[in-house]
Every structure is written in C-alpha cells, then in structure tokens.
Amino acid sequence: MLLRILEDVANAKRKDPAARNGLEVFWCYAGLHAIWAHRIAHALWRVPGLKLFARIISQYSRSVTGVEIHPGATIGRRFFIDHGMGVVIGETAIIGDDVLLYHGVTLGGKSSEREKRHPTLEARVTVGAYAQVLGDVTIGADSIIGANSVVVHDVPANSVVTGVPGVAKPRDAKP
C-alpha cells in the first residue's frame, strides 16, 4: 500500500508541472485522495455483504474531494485526476494504467440495465476538462479526448477526439 501511494505521488509530480514537492502532492491533491479512498471502497465492494460500507466510503470521499468514483469501477495503476472537482466515474467503468483525467469529466452510462454501461479507457488515455464519455464505449490506448467533447462511440487507439458529438482523427493527422 505504501509503495502504491509513493508511486501515485511520483506520478502526480511527473504529470502536473505545478507540483512543487511530494509533501504538497500528498497532502493537497484531492484527486489522489479520491483514488486512495476508491481503493479501499473497491476492496470492500468485492466482499459479499460489504457493498453498503463501500458506498459509504465512496460518498464520504465524494463530499470531501468533489470526485465521485463508484466503488465498482475498476482502475489501473498511475491513474491521475488533475483538478478533480466534478469528476464522475460510473460503476462499470474500466480505466487502464497511466490514464489522466481533468476536472469535470464524466465517465457515465446511457442505460439503466444491470450490464456493462460505462466506458473503458485503455492505457495512457487523456481526457480533457468537462469531456463526457458515455455508454459502453472503448477509448483506445494513447488517445486524447479534447475538452468539452461528448464521446458516444468507440475510439481507435492513437486518436484525438474533439467536438459534440466527438469525432476521432489519428493523432498524427495534419490539420
């Protein structure tokens, strides 16, 4: 657990040019606090009979950090939420390693059925501020979702998505 926390702090320092030192990151980064609380809630979520306690932890974390992560969401390593206020991550969301989300991002559902209804973000995806990724869609590895975009379809790896609805283009495409 301690090694994961140190890894998270080092990752935040790499991804945020405003981070001055590890102590500041440890004590002041609400996105990290939300991720740490999620790890505890997610562990409880997986134990029969403890889902209520998992939800209580996630709701407390939401009230303190402004980041709502459902305890059922699956999150990889070195996940970072920069300026986390307003981020919402749904129950069946799957987030790969080295993913970066900015404030106001929603990884939301489009269905009320008990099924996979939230997005999957593969490794090294970046999602810009206030972007909405909705439904059981997959965002391919190394893709970037532009700020304020609304994504409702799968996105191939190495893409840039902008607009409402989001349109994907290869990352190396010339304007």
Side-chain angles (χ1 to χ4, degrees):
M1 181 80 153
L2 178 60
L3 292 177
R4 289 289 295 271
I5 290 171
L6 293 173
E7 179 182 56
D8 292 334
V9 169
N11 182 53
K13 286 174 54 182
R14 269 193 311 277
K15 290 185 176 174
D16 185 359
R20 290 188 292 268
N21 61 65
L23 280 176
E24 178 183 50
V25 170
F26 179 85
W27 289 109
C28 300
Y29 278 51
L32 285 182
H33 301 157
I35 293 164
W36 296 336
H38 170 73
R39 288 186 187 143
I40 295 165
H42 185 69
L44 292 174
W45 185 259
R46 297 176 59 176
V47 176
L50 296 182
K51 286 187 175 12
L52 174 61
F53 295 108
R55 290 288 302 193
I56 290 168
I57 289 170
S58 72
Q59 290 302 298
Y60 176 76
S61 173
R62 174 184 173 223
S63 70
V64 171
T65 66
V67 175
E68 182 173 347
I69 307 174
H70 191 285
T74 302
I75 297 177
R77 295 178 73 126
R78 294 173 303 280
F79 174 53
F80 182 54
I81 303 170
D82 196 5
H83 302 288
M85 187 61 71
V87 167
V88 176
I89 300 172
E91 176 183 12
T92 63
I94 300 171
I95 299 173
D97 294 340
D98 302 301
V99 169
L100 170 62
L101 302 184
Y102 286 95
H103 56 284
V105 167
T106 299
L107 303 180
K110 294 193 313 183
S111 168
S112 59
E113 300 298 319
R114 293 189 180 270
E115 60 189 10
K116 173 79 167 85
R117 60 190 183 281
H118 297 96
T120 297
L121 278 56
E122 294 182 348
R124 298 171 304 282
V125 168
T126 298
V127 184
Y130 297 104
Q132 312 297 300
V133 184
L134 305 173
D136 181 16
V137 298
T138 298
I139 309 302
D142 300 299
S143 292
I144 299 170
I145 308 299
N148 293 305
S149 296
V150 177
V151 181
V152 293
H153 298 289
D154 290 345
V155 172
N158 295 301
S159 296
V160 174
V161 179
T162 57
V164 179
V167 176
K169 296 180 180 170
R171 282 183 69 171
D172 58 0
K174 304 295 185 234

